[in-house]
């Protein structure tokens, strides 16, 4: 799932400064699940904006709307009427959603209200961690199902760097585990440590030719 | 409005504490408006923000003491939520201290009145 | 067409004398939705209620607002009036114009009263009925544990007419019960005999719980007994797995000198073949474990016995003697009268072995003197810990423990015996209640609670008062992870999409889930966002 | 002319190298001073590559200065700042100018340095870098194209003998040995038993590779605690910290030198390893004092 985080208010206020009629648009999929852009966050941002602008004596009128997936043109089309009424849109969807909105309403500025950060999973309630780098060349079969591309701070393919901290923690953050120590433990548990002894040649970073494009095979 | 203080009071603690304050005829400012909730945990950010939108001078969220929440984690979660609300207010250059969480037991009417006085003091300090 | 709201105002027999009720009536009558307004005082007595009832009927009132005292005291009274009049009890709000207005402000409060009523009316306009339903429940109870607490509970449940299963880890019942408990007047052997002879009680031993699911009235429990696994259904679960003790002193001292536990001393006192009676005995109390109610009782009992039986010199080194019941007070007095010395110290005394004896160094804070004492036997302090299986069982039950590992101890003043999950109860040691006389209170209150819940075979509960809208739910699992009562589950709607669903029986209506749901998919009748915000938005309008 | 490093490795009993940290700025006079001071006292001068992710004068630039002044340079190459094209190009340039000893490292993370917002590269890792240099040595680039001109680098790498847990590190060392290296320079060690254990492990797989024990003198208890918390891969034991804590004020540097020399002597006398690599960052001028105290001058 895509994980995002609300942008700092300063940035949002700056983007919306010239406008007096704005739509706050939420998305009902990934960003709802990660508490960044669902209906609840839409209401909070809208309220916060109204408060901010009223303190500046520069009233703003705000509409609120959410669609199931902002990265789908058909679903975004459902809120067309509301978009027509406003001068600008602040979208709480991921980058894909913001761009879909921008493309659908080319005459309206559509601003990102969140920073899209990574593909991840909840470690516990309210805490999400990065799991996948969408590299287009999955390596997980060789690493006991732990991705060194994003879970190792350096994306190393042939084992840990020399900076591992005591207890197998990451060089850059004692709160994070060294991915290669995790991989070692997992493979050891599975009796497959030989996988870690293999040499892996430099990765093909063009496995996905950017910008990515996938054509499904026709049935 | 209005310059009222909106107090979301848990029906297991702050609300009965306020009742007791009434029975003892302890006085507190008239601009207090109490909204009864089943647990402090029910109070959401939007409730607090809307109160400010309507012109409230301050918002109090009042729940049970530390380990005594009727629903185990309602008061601690809301404490975190109120802390986040402080941040949301500071982000828009408002005085974050004007939303606050108070923990008290149902038999603490003086603590209830003390909390109201405390928030009233903060309102004065913030210049409203 | 807007529903008709009736407003009833009471001045509590004239005690609300700083309100101009005529002015209030004039303002309130203009509020949208209000079709009738009545001033009746006192409203909560029979005559008032009768008037209210007939008014609701005559004027076809559909929802009610009462402006009077606190709902904490009178909500149920007026709800009953609504229900007698054929209305749903949830279509009702109270404006607390007494305790939270008239009595706490000086001078005329008419304006505030009008506003409080306005807030109540604006909430009431949005209220929706909540249905009640009878859910049938399983009447059998599972008691986990085989000590005197568990046996006692099983016997009482059986007497209350509820079929009970007693599940014990060990092969024999009552093994966990110590000499000390016997000392406190329990005849464990007689209890075991009685429970074995009770037809209403099934004993599974040795056996253990390996999985639980379901909810109050309908728990599914998987049990391992011998080599096989069995599945059972129960209406309620009682956990009485007890506690264990650990000597607080280091073991290296223990081997060559006489450092013993309270229980060991009990054995020594009973031992007819004991050749050498200890001349000097030291006790440690309240240094390692501040929750020392049971150790205090044991110390006083043993100190007295040693004094009387052996005539030993007895010294009790303590931080405090926690004398919190009449019985302990009496024992303490007796001990002092017999010449037991109590030496109070802030820090734990130094203990060393010397020529097969134990040397104790302490500073008595009352005498202000250093005390050096050599004794034959030292009764070391014991830390009280939850039984070994507590941790595993808590994860099987999905129930939290406190910082010391006991069940629920932190929340003791609200939930002495009930867990956060409805239908699961704790007794005695496993919840940190180590005072034997109070354990009996635990047993009684658990039995009464379970009897109330299960005896009729039905539980009357609100239906969908807190509800997930499956259309809006994005299955983010937030509510499932945070529900303090474990009342929410992931289910498939018609075998398709997965959504969260709240179990009406298990839900305690706290609304934490409604506040946390990022999709705003959870509604809580009476405390929906709309109903709360309607009050917020009315504030200050007067 | 200095003796080629590969020849030193083959012939000398106890190899001594020292670290030369490039300057921040274009004024290289300090670097030249250090080179002049050390070039005849050590067998190789090892030049760091944006050490600790702090941007500096390039390793290759200082290596050329070492060469100009008659010393034997060891070029450090990390994988952090350059992709495979840039690394190959830099290596071609280095070799063409006579810099033919390479130390292959992963490189510290960008987060520990002074340009925290930069994009870190890590197109290759250290094992892949070793393979890459062998490819160059064989006359080809990574894409398989023929190269004009002969290349023959002497290849070294690093290891952390005191890592916790150690096993994953050792597996990586195995991979580096399998790829083929002529010398291993360890991360700073403070427990010689750990170094011994490490050398034994390496010897089981490769008895030719030379192992240089890493020495970073610590000059105070505070510095030791700071290094434990902030320098990746460094673990200073409590007994050393205690020893430093008891040192009178103002004598910390002397104490640091004393401890370093004591360890080097032991390494040499007990034949624990094949040499030493001294990293006295910011106090390069004190390296001769250590060498003297260790009896290496």
């Amino acid at each position: 799932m895509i994980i995002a985080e609300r942008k700092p208010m300063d940035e949002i206020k700056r983007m919306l400064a010239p406008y007096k009629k704005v739509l706050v648009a939420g998305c009902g999929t990934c960003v709802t699940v990660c508490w960044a852009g669902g209906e609840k966050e839409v209401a909070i941002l809208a309220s916060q904006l109204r408060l901010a602008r009223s303190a500046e004596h520069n009233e703003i009128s705000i509409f609120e709307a959410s669609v199931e997936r902002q990265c789908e043109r058909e679903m975004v089309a459902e809120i067309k009427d509301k978009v027509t009424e406003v001068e600008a849109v602040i979208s709480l969807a991921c980058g894909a959603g913001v761009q879909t909105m921008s493309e659908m309403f080319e005459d309206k500025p559509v601003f990102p209200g969140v920073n899209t950060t990574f593909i991840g999973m909840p470690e516990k309630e309210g805490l999400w961690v990065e799991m996948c780098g969408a590299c287009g060349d999955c390596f997980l079969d060789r690493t006991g199902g732990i991705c060194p591309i994003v879970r190792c701070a350096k994306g190393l393919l042939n084992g840990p760097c020399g900076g591992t901290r005591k207890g197998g923690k990451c060089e850059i953050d004692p709160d994070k585990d060294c991915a290669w120590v995790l991989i070692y433990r997992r493979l050891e548990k599975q009796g497959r440590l030989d996988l870690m002894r293999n040499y892996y040649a430099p990765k093909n970073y063009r496995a996905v030719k950017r910008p990515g494009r996938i054509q499904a095979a026709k049935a | 409005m209005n310059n009222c203080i909106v107090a979301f009071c848990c029906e297991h603690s702050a609300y009965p504490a306020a009742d007791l304050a009434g029975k003892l005829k302890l006085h507190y400012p008239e601009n207090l408006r109490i909204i009864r909730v089943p647990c402090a945990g029910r109070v959401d950010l939007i409730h607090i923000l809307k109160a400010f939108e309507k012109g409230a001078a301050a918002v109090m969220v009042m729940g049970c003491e530390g380990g005594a929440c009727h629903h185990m984690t309602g008061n601690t979660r809301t404490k975190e939520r109120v802390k986040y609300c402080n941040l949301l207010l500071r982000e828009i250059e408002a005085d974050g201290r004007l939303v606050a969480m108070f923990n008290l037991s149902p038999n603490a009417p003086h603590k209830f009145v003390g909390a109201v006085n405390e928030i009233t003091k903060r309102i004065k300090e913030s210049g409203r | 067409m807007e529903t008709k709201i009736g407003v009833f105002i009471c001045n509590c027999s004239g005690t609300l004398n700083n309100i101009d009720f005529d002015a209030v009536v004039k303002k309130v009558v203009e509020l949208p939705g209000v079709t009738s307004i009545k001033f009746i005082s006192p409203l909560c007595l029979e005559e008032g209620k009768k008037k209210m009832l007939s008014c609701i009927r005559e004027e076809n009132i559909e929802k009610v607002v009462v402006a009077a005292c606190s709902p904490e005291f009178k909500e149920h009274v007026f709800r009953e009036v609504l229900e007698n009049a054929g209305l749903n009890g949830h279509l009702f709000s109270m404006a607390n114009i007494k305790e939270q207005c008239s009595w706490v402000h000086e001078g005329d409060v008419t304006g505030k009263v009008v506003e409080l009523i306005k807030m109540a009316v604006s909430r009431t306009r949005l209220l929706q009925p909540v249905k009640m339903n009878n859910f049938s429940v399983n009447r059998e109870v599972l008691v986990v544990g085989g000590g005197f607490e568990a046996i006692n509970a099983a016997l009482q449940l059986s007497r209350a007419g509820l079929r009970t299963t007693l599940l014990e880890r060990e092969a024999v019942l009552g093994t966990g019960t110590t000499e000390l408990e016997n000392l406190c007047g329990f005849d464990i052997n007689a209890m075991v005999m009685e429970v074995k002879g009770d037809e209403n009680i099934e004993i599974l031993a040795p056996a253990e719980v390996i999985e639980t699911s379901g909810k109050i009235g309908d728990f599914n429990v998987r049990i391992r007994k011998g080599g096989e696994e069995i599945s059972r259904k129960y209406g309620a679960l009682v956990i009485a797995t007890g506690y264990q003790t650990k000597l607080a002193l280091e073991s290296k001292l223990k081997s060559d000198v006489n450092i013993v536990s309270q229980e060991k001393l009990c054995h020594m006192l009973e031992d007819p073949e004991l050749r050498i009676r200890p001349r000097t005995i030291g006790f440690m109390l309240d240094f390692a474990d501040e929750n020392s109610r049971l150790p205090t009782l044991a110390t006083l009992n043993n100190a007295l016995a040693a004094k009387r039986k052996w005539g030993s010199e007895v010294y009790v080194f303590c931080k405090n003697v926690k004398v919190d019941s009449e019985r302990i007070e009496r024992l303490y007095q007796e001990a002092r009268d017999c010449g037991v010395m109590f030496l109070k110290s802030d820090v734990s005394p130094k203990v060393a072995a010397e020529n097969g004896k134990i040397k104790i160094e302490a500073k008595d804070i009352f005498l202000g003197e250093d005390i050096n004492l050599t004794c034959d036997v030292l009764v070391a302090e014991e830390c009280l810990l939850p039984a070994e299986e507590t941790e595993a069982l808590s994860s099987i039950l999905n129930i939290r423990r406190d910082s010391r590992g006991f069940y629920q101890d932190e929340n003791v003043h609200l939930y002495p015996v009930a867990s956060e999950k409805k239908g699961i109860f704790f007794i005695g040691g496993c919840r940190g209640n180590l005072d034997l006389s109070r354990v009996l209170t635990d047993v009684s209150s658990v039995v009464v609670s379970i009897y109330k819940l299960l005896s009729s075979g039905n539980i009357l509960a609100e239906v969908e008062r807190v509800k997930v809208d499956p259309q809006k739910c994005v299955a983010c699992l937030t509510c499932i992870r945070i529900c303090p009562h474990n009342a929410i589950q992931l289910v498939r709607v018609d075998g398709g999409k997965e959504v969260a669903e709240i179990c009406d029986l298990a839900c305690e209506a706290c609304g934490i889930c409604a506040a946390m749901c990022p999709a705003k998919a959870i509604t809580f009748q009476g405390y929906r966002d709309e109903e709360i915000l309607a009050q917020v938005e009315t504030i200050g309008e007067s | 002319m200095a003796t080629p490093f590969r020849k030193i490795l083959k012939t000398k009993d106890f190899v001594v190298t020292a670290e030369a940290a490039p300057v921040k700025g274009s004024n290289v006079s300090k670097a030249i001073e250090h080179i002049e001071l050390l070039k005849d006292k050590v067998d190789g001068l090892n030049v760091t590559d944006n050490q600790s992710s702090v941007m500096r004068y390039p390793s290759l630039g200082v290596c050329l200065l070492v060469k100009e002044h008659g010393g034997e340079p060891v070029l450090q190459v990390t994988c952090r700042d350059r992709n495979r094209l840039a690394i190959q190009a830099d290596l071609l340039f280095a070799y063409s100018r006579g810099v033919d000893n390479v130390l292959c490292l992963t490189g510290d993370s960008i987060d520990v340095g002074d340009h925290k917002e930069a994009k870190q590269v890590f197109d290759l890792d250290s094992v892949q870098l070793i393979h890459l240099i062998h490819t160059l040595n064989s006359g080809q680039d990574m894409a398989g194209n023929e190269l004009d001109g002969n290349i023959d680098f002497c290849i070294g790498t690093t290891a952390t003998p005191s890592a916790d847990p150690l096993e994953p590190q050792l597996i990586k060392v195995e991979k580096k040995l399998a790829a083929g290296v002529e010398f291993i320079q360890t991360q700073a060690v403070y427990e010689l038993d750990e170094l011994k254990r490490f050398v034994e492990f390496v010897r089981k797989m490769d008895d030719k590779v030379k192992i240089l024990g890493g020495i970073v003198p610590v000059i105070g208890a505070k510095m030791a605690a700071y290094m434990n918390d902030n320098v990746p891969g460094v673990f200073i034991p409590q007994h050393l910290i205690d020893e430093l804590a008891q040192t009178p004020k103002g004598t910390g540097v002397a104490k640091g030198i004393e401890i370093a020399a004591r360890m080097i002597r032991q390494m040499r006398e007990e034949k624990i390893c094949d040499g030493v690599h001294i990293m006295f960052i910011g106090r390069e001028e004190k390296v001769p004092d250590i060498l003297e105290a260790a009896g290496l001058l």
Side-chain angles (χ1 to χ4, degrees), chain A residues 110-156:
Chain A
V110 178
F111 298 111
V114 300
N115 290 318
T116 309
T117 46
F118 51 76
I119 301 178
M121 63 164 282
E123 189 171 292
K124 57 178 187 187
E125 163 225 331
L127 174 67
W128 290 271
V129 290
E130 185 167 14
M131 285 282 151
C132 173
C135 69
D137 181 19
C138 194
F139 197 70
L140 289 168
D141 56 324
R142 278 148 282 185
T143 53
I146 295 164
C147 178
I149 317 262
V150 292
R151 294 176 70 184
C152 162
K154 299 173 187 174
L156 304 178

Side-chain angles (χ1 to χ4, degrees), chain A residues 153-154 156-168 171-172 181 184-185 196-203 205, chain D residues 84 106-109 111 120 122-125 127-128 131 142 160 164-165 167-169 171-172 174-175 229 232-233 235:
Chain A
K154 299 173 187 174
L156 304 178
L157 297 187
N158 279 296
C161 71
T164 320
R165 286 168 190 257
K166 250 194 167 44
E171 164 177 314
I172 62 159
V181 171
Y184 170 79
R185 290 185 181 141
M196 197 168 154
R197 293 198 171 89
N198 287 347
Y199 167 65
Y200 298 109
K203 199 172 161 57
Y205 285 101
Chain D
R84 54 193 93 175
T106 304
D108 291 330
S109 166
D111 299 61
Q120 51 181 16
F122 296 113
D123 184 17
L124 304 177
D125 63 31
V127 183
Q128 291 160 350
H131 277 271
M142 270 184 84
T160 308
D164 167 43
E167 295 78 3
Q169 290 286 336
I171 291 177
K172 187 152 187 189
E174 277 179 45
K175 288 166 97 162
D229 289 342
F235 305 90

Side-chain angles (χ1 to χ4, degrees), chain D residues 250-268:
Chain D
T251 60
V253 176
K255 187 77 192 171
I257 290 172
E258 180 199 317
I259 296 172
R262 185 170 82 206
M263 286 172 64
I264 296 169
R265 268 178 196 281
Q266 200 185 340
M267 282 180 189
R268 191 179 177 197

Side-chain angles (χ1 to χ4, degrees), chain B residues 1 11 19 22-23 26-28 32-34 36 41-42 44 47 54 67-68 70-72 81, chain C residues 70 72 96 99-100 104-106 112 115 400 411 413-415 420 485 510 516 520 527 529 539:
Chain B
M1 58 172 165
E11 69 180 30
D19 282 344
K23 287 202 183 344
L26 303 175
H27 288 229
Y28 52 75
L32 186 78
R33 297 289 178 275
I34 292 172
R36 186 174 177 233
R42 173 65 192 101
D44 192 3
H47 305 149
K54 286 297 290 182
H70 222 76
H71 301 286
M72 261 60 69
R81 208 173 297 154
Chain C
S70 173
E72 293 288 315
N96 187 341
E99 285 91 347
Q100 298 182 7
V104 283
H105 304 311
E106 275 177 343
K112 181 166 177 177
E115 196 174 309
R400 67 174 193 173
N411 224 347
H413 39 310
L414 280 177
Y415 285 94
E420 71 256 36
H485 306 292
C510 60
M516 302 270 300
K520 289 270 161 234
Y527 298 100
D529 281 347
I539 291 172

